[in-house]
């Protein structure tokens, strides 16, 4: 097939998928600066794993790790430890793997059994926590929730025992964008460790908040300022504002990265270390991340994140003022989850389907364990959802809702395609 035809053949299919920027539930970056785009395209062929050959690339990676470790208030060190990953999922798996190795080493030294590790987390955690437990054969102790932003510390701690490799906390949850109270978990877990002689630490999944809270609420102690927080992941491709392919795992200090995970490669006299799950991958995301940090700086990130919060609050105010919706998010982060107030004759899926008719993709999903069946909707106020977009969205929501209200119940479920959209 001629190249032009091949390109068209693929692009036409992409066009049918809808508009990236109208996917309201997605956390990942849809647009970058024109010069970042140039930088990315010019360096697409460079493999991140070829560090010894490209020492500047490797140096930039270390500089970014240092910046993030400092941003997350890691104890002062000459060299910080961390890894660029494909996203938060890889970072979470890698982080928990290191917790597991550290737990094993301590147990083995005492001659204790290491055959049944477990990991404890709240059901508000992302699906990749399940993946870790499944792929790495660790028992999953997932504690159900009793409300959309519930974080049941008592029950979580009741599930911690000598075989617990780590406890999880999430900032912001994928469901409502809630910020789990890590500070409370830290204090309660310190007490439990002291009482029992365990040495269980915390992995903080800061996939979205890691690039928000340090700028919008720098005094909130959720990071390495808490002694039991040993590893943190963040998605560079969410509020780090890089296109999908960028995550980070940051270790509190050297002792948290288990040596058994580190591979050293030497080439041309230089020695580099690698501890990621995959081998070859692009390095463009690294340059894109570096570009954003240089270009925006702390002040710039703060400005962007405050804008996102402003738009989220603007939208939440519209919902609250209406008779029809109820906001479920605490709005510490620019994520708004909501549901219908009362019991309308139409469902969330009918509504999402109406919105899709106008190209808006509004996700409808269930709350997790113990609250299944409770349907909610979510809008993530990414930097590209501007004030104008927020108002366009709300206008469309109002008019589509009105149409649904005026639709006869019998008509709602006709196979005219009303059965709805959602994921
Ligand atoms: C997005 C997200 C993940 C998964 O991260 P990827 O970057 O998509 O791999 C994990 N946890 C939370 C809280 C998330 O928001």
């Amino acid at each position: 097939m001629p190249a032009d035809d091949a390109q068209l053949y693929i692009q036409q299919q992409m066009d049918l998928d809808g508009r990236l920027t109208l996917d309201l539930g997605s956390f990942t970056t849809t647009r970058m600066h024109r010069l970042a785009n140039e930088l990315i395209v010019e360096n697409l062929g460079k493999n991140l794993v070829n560090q010894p050959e490209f020492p500047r690339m490797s140096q930039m990676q270390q500089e970014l790790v240092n910046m993030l470790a400092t941003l997350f208030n890691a104890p002062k060190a000459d060299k910080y430890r961390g890894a660029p990953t494909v996203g938060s999922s890889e970072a979470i798996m890698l982080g928990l793997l290191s917790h597991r190795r550290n737990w094993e080493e301590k147990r083995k030294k005492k001659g204790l059994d290491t055959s049944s590790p477990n990991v404890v987390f709240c059901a508000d955690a992302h699906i990749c926590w399940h993946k870790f437990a499944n792929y790495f054969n660790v028992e999953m102790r997932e504690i159900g929730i009793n409300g959309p932003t519930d974080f049941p510390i008592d029950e979580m701690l009741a599930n911690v025992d000598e075989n617990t490799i780590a406890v999880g906390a999430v900032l912001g949850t994928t469901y409502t964008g809630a910020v789990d109270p890590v500070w409370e978990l830290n204090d309660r877990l310190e007490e439990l460790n002291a009482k029992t002689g365990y040495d269980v630490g915390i992995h903080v999944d800061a996939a979205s908040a890691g690039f928000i809270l340090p700028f919008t609420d720098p005094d909130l102690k959720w990071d390495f300022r808490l002694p039991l927080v040993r590893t943190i992941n963040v998605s560079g491709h969410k509020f780090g504002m890089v296109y999908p392919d960028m995550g980070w795992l940051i270790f509190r200090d050297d002792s948290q990265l288990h040596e058994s995970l580190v591979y050293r490669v030497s080439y041309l006299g230089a020695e580099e270390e690698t501890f990621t799950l995959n081998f070859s991958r692009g390095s463009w995301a690294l340059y894109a991340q570096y570009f954003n940090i240089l270009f925006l700086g702390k002040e710039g990130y703060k400005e962007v994140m405050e804008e996102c919060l402003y738009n989220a609050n603007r939208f939440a105010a519209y919902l609250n003022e209406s008779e029809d919706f109820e906001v479920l998010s605490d709005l510490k982060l620019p994520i708004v989850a909501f549901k219908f107030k009362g019991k309308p004759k139409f469902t969330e899926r009918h509504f999402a389907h109406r919105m899709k008719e106008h190209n808006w993709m509004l996700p409808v999903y269930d709350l997790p364990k113990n609250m299944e069946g409770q349907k909610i909707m979510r809008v993530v106020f990414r930097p590209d959802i501007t004030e104008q977009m927020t108002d366009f969205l709300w206008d469309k929501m109002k008019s589509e809702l009105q149409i649904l209200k005026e639709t006869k119940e019998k008509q709602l479920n006709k196979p005219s395609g009303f059965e709805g959209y959602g994921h």
Side-chain angles (χ1 to χ4, degrees):
M1 191 184 279
D4 285 347
D5 290 358
Q7 198 252 5
L8 189 64
Y9 185 82
I10 294 165
Q11 189 53 52
Q12 286 178 334
Q13 298 187 56
M14 295 292 133
D15 292 347
L16 290 174
D17 269 346
R19 269 206 168 270
L20 181 64
T21 46
L22 297 182
D23 185 356
L24 296 166
S26 175
F27 284 79
T28 48
T29 302
T30 58
R31 284 201 180 111
M32 287 194 69
H33 192 283
R34 157 182 71 79
L35 292 176
N37 291 343
E38 260 180 41
L39 197 57
I40 290 169
V41 170
E42 278 164 18
N43 289 285
L44 275 173
K46 210 177 253 186
N47 192 335
L48 187 59
V49 92
N50 294 342
Q51 301 221 3
E53 295 92 321
F54 302 117
R56 284 312 312 170
M57 175 178 78
S58 163
Q59 183 60 29
M60 275 193 264
Q61 170 178 321
Q62 185 58 44
E63 282 168 24
L64 284 163
V65 167
N66 294 348
M67 286 188 234
L68 287 173
T70 315
L71 189 68
F72 299 157
N73 296 293
K76 220 168 169 40
D78 290 336
K79 185 185 178 190
Y80 296 94
R81 308 297 283 279
T85 56
V86 176
S88 279
S89 312
E90 186 193 354
I92 289 166
M93 290 188 215
L94 203 55
L96 291 174
L97 202 53
S98 200
H99 281 266
R100 180 191 183 149
R101 288 288 164 86
N102 282 326
W103 166 82
E104 275 169 0
E105 189 182 304
K106 278 175 264 169
R107 300 272 297 171
K108 277 182 186 148
K109 269 189 194 144
K110 294 183 190 161
L112 297 167
D113 171 63
T114 57
S115 62
S116 40
N118 68 67
V119 58
V120 177
F121 56 86
C122 171
D124 67 5
H126 190 270
I127 194 79
C128 64
W129 286 75
H130 295 226
K131 270 195 174 180
F132 166 77
N134 180 10
Y135 294 177
F136 293 91
N137 214 6
V138 171
E139 182 201 341
M140 172 174 98
R141 296 191 174 168
E142 185 199 23
I143 312 304
I145 54 168
N146 298 307
T149 57
D150 187 26
F151 189 62
I153 294 185
D154 285 335
E155 214 185 321
M156 288 170 71
L157 294 188
N159 277 275
V160 170
D161 62 22
E162 59 178 343
N163 291 317
T164 303
I165 61 165
V167 180
V170 183
L171 294 81
T173 69
T174 348
Y175 299 95
T176 66
V179 171
D180 287 343
V182 200
W183 46 95
E184 269 175 59
L185 177 65
N186 177 83
D187 294 355
R188 297 281 310 281
L189 194 55
E190 274 189 320
E191 280 170 29
L192 184 74
N193 280 343
K195 204 168 73 192
T196 55
Y198 302 159
D199 181 29
V200 181
I202 300 170
H203 174 87
V204 175
D205 176 358
S208 51
F211 267 107
I212 304 172
L213 290 176
F215 310 112
T216 58
D217 195 356
D219 294 331
L220 190 72
K221 289 195 176 71
W222 59 272
D223 55 17
F224 293 124
R225 283 169 288 185
L226 302 171
L228 286 184
V229 173
R230 294 176 176 170
T231 44
I232 297 176
N233 69 273
V234 61
S235 289
H237 57 214
K238 292 183 177 173
F239 289 85
M241 296 167 69
V242 175
Y243 298 124
D245 245 356
M246 180 85 275
W248 294 96
L249 173 66
I250 306 292
F251 293 90
R252 174 184 193 82
D253 54 39
D254 279 349
S255 69
Q256 295 311 323
L257 170 59
H258 197 270
E259 272 303 311
S260 64
L261 298 177
V262 181
Y263 287 82
R264 296 206 159 71
V265 280
S266 62
Y267 186 77
L268 299 176
E271 192 175 73
E272 300 294 340
E273 51 180 43
T274 145
F275 41 93
T276 45
L277 291 181
N278 58 290
F279 199 68
S280 292
R281 64 171 290 207
S283 60
W284 63 264
L286 205 68
Y287 317 131
Q289 184 78 80
Y290 212 141
F291 175 88
N292 277 350
I293 289 176
L294 292 176
F295 169 56
L296 292 168
K298 279 190 179 172
E299 281 307 310
Y301 268 106
K302 181 169 191 269
E303 214 171 283
V304 174
M305 298 315 145
E306 280 175 352
E307 188 75 24
C308 295
L309 276 175
Y310 167 82
N311 289 323
N313 276 284
R314 186 182 178 87
F315 181 68
Y318 290 147
L319 296 172
N320 279 327
E321 283 159 20
S322 80
E323 307 269 280
D324 304 297
F325 297 99
E326 185 181 332
V327 174
L328 303 168
S329 299
D330 57 20
L331 287 161
K332 289 195 184 89
L333 301 173
I335 296 157
V336 184
F338 54 99
K339 61 173 188 160
F340 288 131
K341 211 181 257 177
K343 286 223 177 320
K345 62 184 177 184
F346 44 85
T347 66
E348 293 78 1
R349 283 179 184 253
H350 291 130
F351 183 57
H353 185 76
R354 291 291 327 159
M355 294 300 290
K356 185 72 171 86
E357 297 263 290
H358 300 276
N359 302 319
W360 294 100
M361 293 173 244
L362 178 68
V364 174
Y365 51 101
D366 277 42
L367 280 174
K369 191 169 167 182
N370 286 8
M371 293 207 66
E372 301 97 337
Q374 166 74 77
K375 292 260 185 303
I376 64 175
M377 297 164 270
R378 175 183 75 208
V379 179
V380 178
F381 284 83
R382 302 183 303 262
D384 62 309
I385 311 274
T386 56
E387 182 174 335
Q388 162 168 277
M389 290 281 278
T390 306
D391 288 356
F392 281 156
L393 170 64
W394 177 240
D395 283 347
K396 192 47 78 184
M397 283 174 67
K398 276 189 300 189
S399 57
E400 292 312 302
L401 197 67
Q402 195 52 38
I403 292 173
L404 280 178
K405 283 180 181 173
E406 286 163 12
T407 307
K408 291 207 178 66
E409 215 159 333
K410 272 199 309 208
Q411 205 67 31
L412 281 171
N413 296 312
K414 283 258 169 82
S416 54
F418 249 143
E419 71 279 353
Y421 157 85
H423 57 78

